[in-house]
Structure formats: structure tokens, C-alpha cells
């Protein structure tokens, strides 16, 4: 049972271009990509609501309409939902400042819209209040921090240093590598430190500024955490859910097939497969650890393995798609074609047989 965090409002950052997730993000903003039949960001909305949040502001930029049309004003969920749109990309802090007019003068949770986690939001808020911090960041451990922002803290859990994409010479042997997990609590005072209408990064600009005056707390945990920034991590997020590493599904250890998907009795669906709503899998087809998008059609005797297939894609009879091929929405792969990744097929493209 999730505890009430005592923070009633949240901003979800959903305005990024999602360039690393192309071509899937040609047609949808990254937070709206599906995870077991529901938009990814819907999992975050549920997580916030269970922790007592009542108002959620989506800070949008790229393709805002898909998000607003899906969630509306939130009434049907018992939430207040609002939207702001960057006039031009404002960066992660600029996008928070842009939401200020829809927020109360109280603490707010901020979530990157591309993180799957079962983080204890109440524990984060408790730590924040206990320290009297202006901003408190959730931290997650990684083996290799070189692609992330390493966060160092003192024994009380106050941030002492941020090291963006540290080189080997900046790492201290034996230190725990902890990175910003893309979930924060911010006071009104922390938000006031962000200049409005400018491009500002919370990681590179605002947090270092607040940390220099001792105002940033951090709480490390080893809860489940994954960012879905790349096709490989998007695929892995599905495998984690199937394995039962993070909530959502009743029967871990087996494939997830949407109730209205049509799977031929003579098709083989591996335990790591997710077959989206309205998809069809033909006789003799084999679907390995894959994400099959809504309305996609996998032909007879086709093999799809370790790949992400977009919405309404057609994979022809006997075709073979494997090793991290990302197929954009509406693409058609001819019968007998062989595509081996890592590679991608553009949205709406046609791939002939060799
Ligand atoms: P890449 O282009 O692949 O790096 O993805 P991205 O654009 O989503 O960037 P990144 O993964 O760093 O963003 C983290 C979160 O912040 C995502 O949920 C983005 O939607 C969001 N975000 C990033 N930049 C902006 C911005 O300028 N404005 C708004 N509103 N949100 C942003």
C-alpha cells in the first residue's frame, strides 16, 4: 500500500523530442509510447495518484496534442490535469517554470516523463521536509556513471557535488555511483530560482546553483528504475515488467498479449513477447522477446526477435526481423525479407525482399 506523500501537485516533463527513440517518436511523443497497451506516462500518473497527488501539470513541447487529447482535464480519474506548452524548447528547468501559473504556492513533485520506477515518493518527500531542503532529488545506483550526471552527497543526504558525464579521472575508487533518477521535489523557492521564458536545464543550471547554497537534498534507493530513452531500454522495460520486476501485471513470467490481439493457434509466442491491442500473429510465426505494436500484423512463418515493431506495421509471410530492429509505425516489410539490427525502418517505409 502506497503512503500519502503529503505533496498534492506534480509536473510531468513530456516535451522532449525523443530523438533517440526515432522513428517511434515520429508519430507519438515518447511518454505516449505504449507499455502493455497503455501510454507509458499513464503508469506515472497512477503512481503519483496513489501517493496522494491530486493535480498534474503536463509540461509539453513536442506533439502536445496527443497528450492532452488522451488525458483531458483529468476529471474521469478524479484528478485535475493541466497543460502548458513550451513556445520553443525550454529545457527541463525552463519547462518547470513554464508550469508555475498552474501550481499552488507549495511543494511539487517533478517527474521526467520517460522513467519507469516504483520509487517511494512518500520517502522522498519525508527526506525533503526532514532536511528543510529547497530541492530534493531521487538517486539511483548505476555501474557506470559516465553517460549520466553523478551526484555526490554528505552523510546527511545533502548534495555536495554534481559531475556531469564524469571521466575516469573524476571517479573516486570505491565510491557509490549514484545518478539523478529524474524525480524531484521542489519548493516554491527553488522554482523561483529558475529564470522564466529562458532555456534552462535543471541538471546543469538550477541544481548546481541551489546546491552551492546548501539547498539540495538527495535520497538514494535501490528501487526499480529504468529510463526508456532508447529502443533497447524500451524493450528492456517490457522484459522487466514481464519478469515481475515492477508492478502492473498479474502473472509474471509469461508473455503479455492484449485481449483483442489475434494469435493463431499455430504461432509461437515466447515468454518475453508483448503483443499489442488489435495485433495479429499468423500461423507458424514466432515472436521472441519483442514489442509488437497495436494493429501490427505478423505474417505466417515470420520470425520477429529482440525488436520493437511499431503500430500498424505489416511483417510479410516468412520475413525475419531480429536483433534490435525498430520499425516505425505503418511500415511494411515484404514477405521473405530479412532485416538484422541494430537498425531501424522509417515510419511508413516499405522494405522489399532481398
Ligand atoms: P532525446 O532527444 O532522445 O535525448 O530525448 P528527450 O528529448 O526526451 O530528452 P531527455 O530524455 O533528456 O528528457 C527527459 C525528460 O524531460 C523527458 O520526459 C522529456 O520529455 C522532458 N524534456 C526534455 N527537454 C524538455 C524541454 O525542453 N521541454 C519540456 N517541456 N520537456 C522536456
Amino acid at each position: 500500500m502506497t503512503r500519502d506523500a503529503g505533496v498534492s501537485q506534480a509536473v510531468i516533463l513530456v516535451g522532449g523530442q525523443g530523438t533517440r527513440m526515432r522513428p517511434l517518436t515520429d508519430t507519438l511523443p515518447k511518454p505516449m509510447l505504449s507499455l502493455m497497451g497503455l501510454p507509458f506516462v499513464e503508469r506515472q500518473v497512477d503512481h503519483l495518484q496513489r501517493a496522494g497527488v491530486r493535480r498534474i501539470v503536463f509540461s509539453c513541447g513536442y506533439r502536445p496534442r496527443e497528450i492532452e487529447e488522451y488525458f483531458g482535464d483529468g476529471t474521469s480519474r478524479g484528478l485535475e490535469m493541466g497543460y502548458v506548452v513550451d513556445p520553443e524548447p525550454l529545457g527541463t528547468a525552463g519547462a518547470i517554470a513554464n508550469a508555475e501559473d498552474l501550481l499552488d504556492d507549495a511543494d511539487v513533485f517533478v517527474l521526467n516523463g520517460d522513467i519507469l520506477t516504483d520509487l517511494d515518493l512518500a520517502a522522498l518527500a519525508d527526506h525533503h521536509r526532514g532536511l528543510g531542503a529547497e530541492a530534493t532529488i531521487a538517486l539511483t545506483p548505476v555501474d557506470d556513471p559516465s553517460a549520466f550526471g553523478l551526484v555526490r552527497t554528505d552523510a546527511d543526504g545533502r548534495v555536495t557535488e554534481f559531475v556531469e558525464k564524469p571521466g575516469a579521472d573524476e571517479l573516486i575508487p570505491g565510491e557509490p555511483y549514484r545518478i539523478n533518477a529524474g524525480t524531484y521535489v521542489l519548493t516554491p523557492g527553488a522554482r523561483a530560482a529558475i529564470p522564466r521564458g529562458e532555456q534552462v536545464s535543471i541538471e546543469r543550471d538550477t541544481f548546481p546553483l541551489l546546491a552551492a547554497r546548501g539547498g539540495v537534498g538527495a535520497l538514494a534507493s535501490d528501487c526499480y528504475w529504468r529510463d526508456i530513452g532508447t529502443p533497447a531500454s524500451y524493450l528492456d522495460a517490457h522484459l522487466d515488467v514481464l519478469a515481475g520486476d515492477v508492478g502492473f501485471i498479474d502473472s509474471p513470467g509469461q508473455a503479455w498479449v492484449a485481449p483483442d490481439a489475434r494469435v493463431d493457434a499455430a504461432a509461437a509466442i515466447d515468454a518475453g513477447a508483448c503483443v499489442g491491442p488489435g495485433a495479429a500473429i499468423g500461423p507458424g510465426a514466432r515472436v521472441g522477446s519483442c514489442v509488437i505494436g497495436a494493429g501490427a500484423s505478423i505474417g505466417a512463418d515470420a520470425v520477429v526477435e529482440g525488436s520493437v515493431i511499431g503500430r500498424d506495421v505489416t511483417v510479410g509471410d516468412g520475413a525475419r526481423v531480429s536483433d534490435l530492429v525498430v520499425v516505425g509505425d505503418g511500415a511494411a516489410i515484404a514477405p521473405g525479407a530479412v532485416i538484422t539490427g541494430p537498425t531501424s525502418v522509417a515510419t511508413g517505409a516499405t522494405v522489399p525482399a532481398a
Side-chain angles (χ1 to χ4, degrees):
M1 184 64 196
T2 312
R3 246 181 339 122
D4 192 300
V7 175
S8 67
Q9 52 183 0
V11 173
I12 309 183
L13 299 174
V14 290
Q17 304 267 330
T19 51
R20 291 166 297 158
M21 285 294 276
R22 288 179 188 153
L24 300 173
T25 45
D26 288 345
T27 41
L28 279 179
K30 183 168 55 173
M32 291 301 286
L33 293 176
S34 136
L35 182 69
M36 275 73 181
L38 288 176
F40 179 80
V41 69
E42 173 129 27
R43 315 293 179 171
Q44 295 179 312
V45 167
D46 285 349
H47 191 50
L48 287 166
Q49 192 168 14
R50 283 196 303 273
V53 167
R54 293 289 162 259
R55 176 186 301 159
I56 295 177
V57 181
F58 291 94
S59 186
C60 309
Y62 175 69
R63 300 189 81 98
R65 204 150 45 98
E66 280 84 355
I67 299 169
E68 184 161 3
E69 280 176 359
Y70 182 83
F71 287 103
D73 67 4
T75 313
S76 60
R77 300 161 193 268
L79 290 169
E80 272 178 55
M81 288 176 150
Y83 303 83
V84 291
V85 182
D86 295 1
E88 65 210 47
L90 290 173
T92 42
I96 298 166
N98 197 32
E100 191 61 33
D101 291 347
L102 299 188
L103 297 176
D104 287 337
D105 189 25
D107 288 356
V108 64
F109 283 124
V110 178
L111 271 59
N112 284 0
D114 56 356
I115 307 289
L116 182 62
T117 181
D118 54 12
L119 179 80
D120 183 345
L121 291 167
L124 184 68
D126 287 348
H127 185 65
H128 174 74
R129 286 185 290 257
L131 279 179
E134 294 184 273
T136 300
I137 310 172
L139 303 181
T140 190
V142 289
D143 294 332
D144 174 9
S146 59
F148 301 99
L150 179 69
V151 182
R152 293 194 172 116
T153 60
D154 65 16
D156 296 334
R158 240 173 237 286
V159 173
T160 52
E161 197 180 4
F162 294 95
V163 192
E164 197 56 30
K165 303 205 167 74
D169 57 333
E170 292 174 286
L171 299 176
I172 302 165
E175 76 173 322
Y177 300 144
R178 294 192 178 117
I179 61 160
N180 171 353
T183 305
Y184 334 116
V185 189
L186 300 181
T187 59
R191 278 137 44 206
I194 306 170
R196 292 188 69 168
E198 288 177 30
Q199 194 172 2
V200 190
S201 159
I202 193 123
E203 301 86 353
R204 285 190 298 279
D205 304 320
T206 313
F207 285 148
L209 180 102
L210 297 175
R213 60 192 201 209
V216 182
L219 182 66
S221 80
D222 44 18
C223 64
Y224 177 84
W225 184 89
R226 183 182 288 286
D227 96 50
I228 58 150
T230 64
S233 62
Y234 179 61
L235 187 55
D236 284 344
H238 285 77
L239 298 180
D240 293 344
V241 174
L242 291 177
D245 294 349
V246 59
F248 316 150
I249 53 165
D250 299 329
S251 29
Q254 60 194 57
W256 180 84
V257 177
D260 63 345
R262 286 167 292 127
V263 177
D264 190 275
I269 307 290
D270 287 7
C274 292
V275 180
I281 315 292
R286 190 171 79 72
V287 178
S289 293
C290 279
V291 180
I292 307 292
S297 166
I298 311 299
D301 301 316
V303 175
V304 187
E305 172 66 56
S307 293
V308 181
I309 306 296
R311 295 175 297 167
D312 301 317
V313 166
T314 307
V315 176
D317 293 353
R320 190 181 178 91
V321 178
S322 63
D323 301 302
L324 202 56
V325 179
V326 182
V327 183
D329 291 350
I333 295 167
V338 176
I339 313 176
T340 307
T343 188
S344 62
V345 174
T347 301
T350 300
V351 178

